[in-house]
Structures are given as C-alpha cells and as structure tokens.
C-alpha cells in the first residue's frame, strides 16, 4: 500500500485525495483490495502532514516544535508505533523498550497513551498494546514494552534502559534538565537508540541545548498547519486573541522566543503589559526612525503609533502602544506609511529622529503632506541609554500594549535590546521608534513639569 503511494510520488496522500476530482478518488479507492482499504486509515504516512514525518538521516533526537494543536502528539504516538511494530503483529520492530516521559504520570497516561491522538487511539486493533496500570506500561502483541515516567521523578529513570523514547512538552517540566540527563544515560540499547521530543517552544535552557546539538533534527509547524483537524471556533478565538503578539508567536506559530541575559525587556514583562481595550487618550503621536536609503539591503523604517492618558499627577500618566506600522522601501514609501498611520489614528504630531538625514526627513514627509505637524528629534545618547528610561516605565506598569496592534516583531526587537546594545540582526528600528514615541508622550513632558521654574522679579 505504501509503495503504491510512493510510486505516485505523493508526499501527502490526504492532501492529494482532498484536491483530486471525484472520479480520480473513486478510481484510486476502487483499485484497492479489501485488505488495503481496511489498512488505509492506519497508514500514517498517507495522512501525515510534512512536519509529522521523521526526517531522514542518523539523528539522535527529533524535536517536533509547533504551536498548540499542530499535531505534535499524533506525530509522537505514530513514531512510537513505527518503532515497535513489525511487518506482522507478532514480528519484532526496530525498538522493544520505550520510555514515555511527560510532565506528570497523569499526563503521560491521559495524553500520550489514552488521549485522542495517543498511542492507543492510533493503533490498529490487531497491533493495539495492552495497558498494565499497576506496572505503568504498555505491552504490544510482539512483546515490545513502553513504560510511563514522570518528569517530577527523574530518579525513576535511573536503572531502566531503552532503545527509544518519546518526550512530551519538555519545555514545561520543572525538573527538565535533570530528567533529560537521566533519560540520556538510560537510552543505551540497540544499534542506534533515538528519541522524539514533542513540545511547544519555551525559552528554557535544556531545550536550547538540545536544539544546538549536532545530532538533533527539527521539524516545525504552526497551529494553522493542522486546521483541518481543529474546531473553526478554536482557531478564530485564539487567532483573534493572540495573533501578532509575542505569546502568539510562541503558542500558535511554534517559534522559540529567546530572552537574552541583560535584556531591557522580557517576555514576562511584555505579556503583563498586554491589554484588550484602550481608554480615551489625551494625546496620540506617530514616531518615526527613518531609513535614509532605500532598496533591498536597507534597514526598515520604524513606525510606531502610541497614545497617552496624561490627566492627573505625572506618576499616573500611562502610555499605550497602539500599532507597529514599520515599512521597508524608498523614503517616499515610509513617508506615506507614517502619514497614513497619522490619519488612521488621528495623531496630533509626527516625531522623527533626524541624526541621519537632517532636513531631508522633513522634506520627504512634506512631499506627501505639506501640512504634516512634524517635530524633529536629535539623539544625544546611544540607543540603550535612550531606551532604559522607557524600559523602567514598563517595569512600573505604565506602558501597555494593545493586543491587536501587530506588535510581535517589535516585541522581538525589544527582548534583544540590552544595556550593552542591540543583540539582534540589523538595526532596532522598531524599538527606536517606540522609544521616541514614549519619550515624546511621557518622559519629556514629565521632565518639563518637574524642572524648577525660575520666576522673574
């Protein structure tokens, strides 16, 4: 059956069936005998998405890193099946001793074994293993055994030995490094023991170490990749709530977000700043960090819209980051984007750094709108020094991020800005624009109010 699909050159039989004409589908199914038709639902290679299939090569660890609902559990369960099952139900497979390791024993049992995408649900009736609850293990008809372990008890892995392992949601484990180390010592049977890790990425040391290991291979997929098997209402809700946020990039896109040591902002600080609704704002500005040159090799032009509530004492003022409108292209392109952002949000002023470009910045803007209310800003300090007072406002809870402001790329740059400078690729144009916006709205006005007033005689 699998060879028939291979001869057809199909990477995904399900995708091919979905796009084929009814006549083609009927012809394909009609050519299968009764045994092939009965086997078809259990042949994962036919139904799998590309990120769910094991990569080629002599890897030691396969990390399936994806968003929520991306099909990671199913891929892990099917990989275990592929390791332990032989050509017939009683014939041995490549592996016969498997470790199933999850955050807790209950999660191993309820998700990895008995879950909707777990091992039992994926196994055909003649190859389905039996669950021995008292011994916490699965036993296949061919004698293969898979034993459940909890990451809360890493010492339980001291003593047993395995030729394969499935590790689920490693990035959530409280004792991740210790449990992982114990598993590596136990994974010592057979000619080439292997392990699969299914996890939503998080910024934890053990996961980053695994990913940097030369013997590790990675497949990656966002939640969207598995939409055919997810409730439409679920996708709509999580995308409406988290799309465009740093948390959304982690939980939906399956991207590993790295918090750098010494960063002025962290993921936790930014998530704490997240809000749904914006109060009535007293001021709105658009801040511009222009790129003087244009073309494919030029930097982006940071464009950030922010507003503020400035009633009451200075310490009660709050800033709200409304949208990241950063543009790439010629000067006239970013000028149009900045002025369009002003019109969209009803901003009272456009502020821009003019250290590079000088009067050219204002000239380009006035080519698009001769009456644009413009304020030129000159940087007297380095980027990090300018950013530190703004980062302090975040720590005080005085800057908020609007959830639907497409702020994910901006937040990535923020988490790479350190006291030593920017530790990302290119220039932190988005962060520069943000800093100018918050400075214009909160820092400069508050400094002016706090300066002692000299009274004339």
């Amino acid at each position: 059956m699998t060879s028939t699909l291979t001869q057809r050159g199909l990477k995904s039989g399900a995708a091919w069936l979905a796009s084929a004409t009814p006549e083609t589908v009927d012809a394909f199914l009609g050519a299968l005998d009764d045994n092939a038709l009965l086997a078809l639902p259990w042949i994962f290679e036919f139904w799998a998405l590309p990120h769910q299939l094991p990569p080629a090569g002599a890897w030691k660890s396969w990390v399936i890193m994806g968003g929520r609902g991306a099909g990671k559990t199913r891929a892990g369960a099917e990989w275990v099946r592929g390791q332990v099952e032989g050509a017939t139900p009683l014939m041995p497979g490549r592996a016969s001793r498997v470790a199933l390791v999850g955050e807790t024993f209950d999660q191993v049992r309820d998700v990895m074994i008995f879950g909707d995408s777990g091992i039992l649900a994926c196994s055909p009736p003649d190859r389905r293993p039996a669950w021995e609850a008292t011994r916490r293990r699965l036993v296949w008809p061919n004698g293969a055994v898979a034993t459940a372990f909890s990451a809360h008890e890493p010492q339980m892995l001291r003593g047993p030995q395995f030729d394969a392992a499935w590790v689920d949601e490693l990035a959530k484990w409280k004792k991740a490094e210790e449990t992982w180390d114990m598993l590596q010592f136990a994974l010592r049977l057979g000619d080439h023991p292997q392990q699969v890790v299914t996890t939503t990425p998080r910024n934890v040391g053990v996961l980053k170490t695994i990913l940097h290991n030369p013997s590790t291979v990675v497949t990656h997929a966002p939640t969207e990749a598995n939409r055919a098997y997810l409730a439409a209402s679920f996708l709509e809700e999580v995308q409406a709530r988290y799309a465009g946020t740093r948390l959304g990039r982690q939980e939906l896109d399956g991207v590993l977000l790295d918090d750098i040591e010494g960063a002025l902002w962290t993921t936790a600080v930014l998530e704490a700043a997240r809000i749904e609704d914006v109060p009535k704002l007293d001021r709105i500005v658009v801040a511009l960090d222009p790129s003087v040159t244009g073309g494919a090799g030029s930097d982006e032009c940071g464009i950030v819209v922010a507003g503020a509530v400035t009633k009451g004492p200075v310490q009660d003022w709050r800033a709200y980051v409304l949208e990241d409108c950063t543009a790439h292209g010629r000067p006239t392109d970013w000028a149009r984007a900045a002025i369009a952002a002003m019109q969209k949000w009803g901003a009272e002023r456009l502020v821009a750094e003019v250290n590079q470009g000088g009067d050219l910045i204002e000239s380009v803007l006035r080519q698009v709108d001769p009456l644009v209310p413009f304020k030129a800003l000159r940087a007297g300090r380095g980027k990090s020094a300018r950013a530190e007072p703004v980062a302090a406002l975040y720590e005080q809870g005085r800057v908020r991020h609007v959830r639907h402001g497409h702020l994910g790329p901006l937040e990535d740059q923020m988490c790479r800005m350190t006291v030593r400078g920017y530790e990302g690729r290119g220039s932190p144009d988005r962060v520069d624009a943000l800093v100018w916006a918050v400075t214009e709205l909160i820092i400069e006005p508050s400094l002016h109010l706090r300066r002692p007033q000299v009274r004339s005689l």
Side-chain angles (χ1 to χ4, degrees):
M1 178 64 193
T2 304
S3 62
T4 302
L5 297 176
T6 303
Q7 291 168 4
R8 291 178 178 271
L10 302 176
K11 292 184 178 179
S12 171
W16 174 74
L17 279 180
S19 60
T21 64
E23 293 77 15
T24 301
V25 174
D26 289 344
F28 171 73
L29 296 177
L32 303 178
D33 59 29
D34 290 344
N35 287 334
L37 279 173
L38 290 172
L40 185 59
W42 307 104
I43 300 176
F44 187 58
E45 291 84 352
F46 184 82
W47 305 103
L49 297 168
H51 71 276
Q52 295 177 306
L53 294 175
W59 46 266
K60 171 68 179 294
S61 305
W62 170 28
V63 179
I64 307 173
M65 202 158 58
R68 300 284 187 93
K72 303 184 296 297
T73 302
R74 177 69 186 272
E78 293 286 359
W79 181 80
V80 171
R81 275 191 61 204
Q83 297 300 297
V84 301
E85 292 180 3
T88 67
L90 298 181
M91 287 185 65
R94 195 193 73 84
S96 60
R97 295 293 181 269
V98 182
L100 305 176
V101 192
E103 184 180 16
T104 66
F105 168 72
D106 287 348
Q107 290 184 353
V108 176
R109 181 192 60 208
D110 297 342
V111 177
M112 301 171 71
I113 295 174
F114 284 94
D116 291 341
S117 299
I119 293 171
L120 292 178
C122 297
S123 300
D126 61 338
R127 297 166 187 257
R128 186 166 295 144
W131 171 242
E132 297 181 354
T134 57
R135 303 185 71 177
R136 297 187 174 186
R137 69 180 194 173
L138 288 170
V139 180
W140 274 264
N142 64 1
V145 175
T147 306
F149 294 91
S150 166
H152 285 297
E153 301 175 304
Q155 294 304 316
M156 295 299 293
L157 286 162
R158 188 184 291 274
Q161 52 186 353
F162 310 99
D163 48 15
W166 173 20
V167 168
D168 190 48
E169 294 297 353
L170 168 72
K172 291 172 54 182
W173 297 357
K174 292 182 179 179
K175 298 181 179 180
E177 188 166 355
E178 184 180 357
T179 304
W180 178 259
D181 288 343
M182 289 297 100
L183 177 62
Q184 302 318 294
F185 287 121
L187 201 61
R188 57 181 184 260
L189 292 180
D191 295 331
H192 184 61
Q194 292 177 303
Q195 57 200 339
V196 61
V197 179
T198 53
T199 189
T200 301
R202 288 188 179 181
N203 182 36
V204 294
V206 64
L207 178 58
K208 291 190 290 185
T209 299
I210 296 167
L211 293 176
H212 286 100
N213 195 315
S215 63
T216 297
V217 294
V218 181
T219 57
H220 169 272
T223 300
E224 178 73 18
N226 202 34
R227 66 175 305 130
Y229 301 99
L230 300 173
S233 58
F234 163 77
L235 277 176
E236 291 171 3
E237 177 67 22
V238 295
Q239 288 175 345
R241 186 171 180 82
Y242 299 110
T245 70
R246 189 168 170 82
L247 183 63
R249 296 194 67 208
Q250 172 179 284
E251 300 295 330
L252 298 181
D253 297 339
V255 175
L256 179 62
L257 304 178
D258 195 2
D259 285 340
I260 295 175
E261 184 178 354
L264 297 179
W265 289 274
T266 65
T267 300
V269 167
L270 294 176
E271 289 308 318
R274 193 87 58 211
I275 60 167
E276 291 283 351
D277 301 316
V278 182
K280 183 178 180 181
L281 301 172
D282 299 314
R283 298 183 62 203
I284 298 177
V285 300
V286 173
L288 182 68
D289 184 64
S291 171
V292 179
T293 60
S298 64
D299 291 328
E300 293 179 316
C301 174
I303 304 172
V304 171
V305 186
V309 176
T310 56
K311 293 178 180 177
V314 171
Q315 61 268 24
D316 293 337
W317 291 7
R318 298 288 185 272
Y320 297 84
V321 184
L322 304 174
E323 188 175 9
D324 179 0
C325 302
T326 294
H328 190 281
R330 298 170 300 176
T332 51
D333 295 327
W334 53 250
R336 291 191 184 95
I339 290 172
M342 287 193 70
Q343 295 170 346
K344 173 182 176 180
W345 289 97
E348 67 176 51
R349 181 178 293 175
L350 194 158
V351 301
E353 180 183 333
V354 296
N355 285 47
Q356 296 184 23
D359 295 339
L360 173 64
I361 306 302
E362 182 175 0
S363 175
V364 173
L365 289 166
R366 296 204 183 281
Q367 289 179 32
V368 179
D369 183 354
L371 301 179
V372 60
F374 174 76
K375 179 180 178 180
L377 303 171
R378 292 192 178 274
R381 299 182 296 167
K383 296 179 186 296
S384 294
R386 295 199 308 270
E388 285 187 57
V390 176
L393 292 177
Y394 278 82
E395 294 287 351
Q396 298 165 12
R398 295 179 59 192
V399 184
R400 301 295 187 186
H401 281 200
V402 177
R403 193 176 297 280
H404 305 296
H406 308 290
L407 304 179
L410 165 63
E411 293 171 350
D412 284 348
Q413 283 194 0
M414 294 170 72
C415 291
R416 294 185 176 276
M417 178 63 77
T418 76
V419 293
R420 302 176 298 275
Y422 182 60
E423 299 191 6
R425 297 179 61 183
S427 177
D429 308 283
R430 300 169 192 261
V431 177
D432 283 346
L434 167 78
V435 168
W436 286 122
V438 177
T439 300
E440 174 68 17
L441 290 167
I442 302 291
I443 296 176
E444 280 298 327
S446 62
L447 289 175
H448 176 74
L449 289 176
R450 288 170 176 163
R451 289 189 186 107
Q453 301 298 312
V454 179
R455 298 178 64 182
S456 58
L457 297 177

